[in-house]
Amino acid sequence: QVQLVESGGGLVQAGGSLRLSCAASGSIRSINAMGWYRQAPGKQREWVGTINRLGSTNYADSVQGRFTISRDNAKNTVYLQMNSLKPLDTGVYYCNGLIETYYGGPRDYWGQGTQVTVSS
């Protein structure tokens, strides 16, 4: 009923930038918070940052000052601008949304993930 589709991943050199997008579609009544998570090889998924419906953001310490989350409510899309990338930022990046549909109350939805690789 709801799909989150990420795009924009790829290979970049350390110090470079990438911009990820995540578009939500389906029987969406409202989208509350949206966020980004990542999972490095052999590690658990970790929170990167969140943006609420009003545009307020919070970030993990590891990305504060380098990553910026924004959203376009009209397009049901959230973005992750990643600057000054480091090899430690390598991983699969997942989009998350707390979404209310016409069939039920708010619940978490996840995208399929997009690979980000930062070379040294």
Side-chain angles (χ1 to χ4, degrees), residues 37-71:
Y37 291 72
R38 66 186 182 186
Q39 187 166 17
K43 294 188 177 181
Q44 290 187 335
R45 190 175 298 188
E46 66 173 356
W47 172 71
V48 173
T50 303
I51 185 168
N52 68 15
R53 184 167 181 81
L54 299 179
S56 295
T57 55
N58 286 287
Y59 300 96
D61 289 344
S62 58
V63 306
Q64 181 76 47
R66 299 188 298 121
F67 291 10
T68 302
I69 298 176
S70 60
R71 63 188 286 175

Side-chain angles (χ1 to χ4, degrees), residues 14 21-22 29 35 43 48 54 57 69 79 84 108 110 112 118:
S21 300
C22 171
R29 181 167 186 161
K43 294 188 177 181
V48 173
L54 299 179
T57 55
I69 298 176
Y79 306 95
S84 302
D108 279 323
W110 292 89
Q112 81 288 352
V118 184

Side-chain angles (χ1 to χ4, degrees), residues 78-94:
V78 64
Y79 306 95
L80 178 64
Q81 178 67 44
M82 304 184 291
N83 298 328
S84 302
L85 282 162
K86 306 174 182 179
L88 285 176
D89 294 318
T90 294
V92 179
Y93 282 69
Y94 297 91

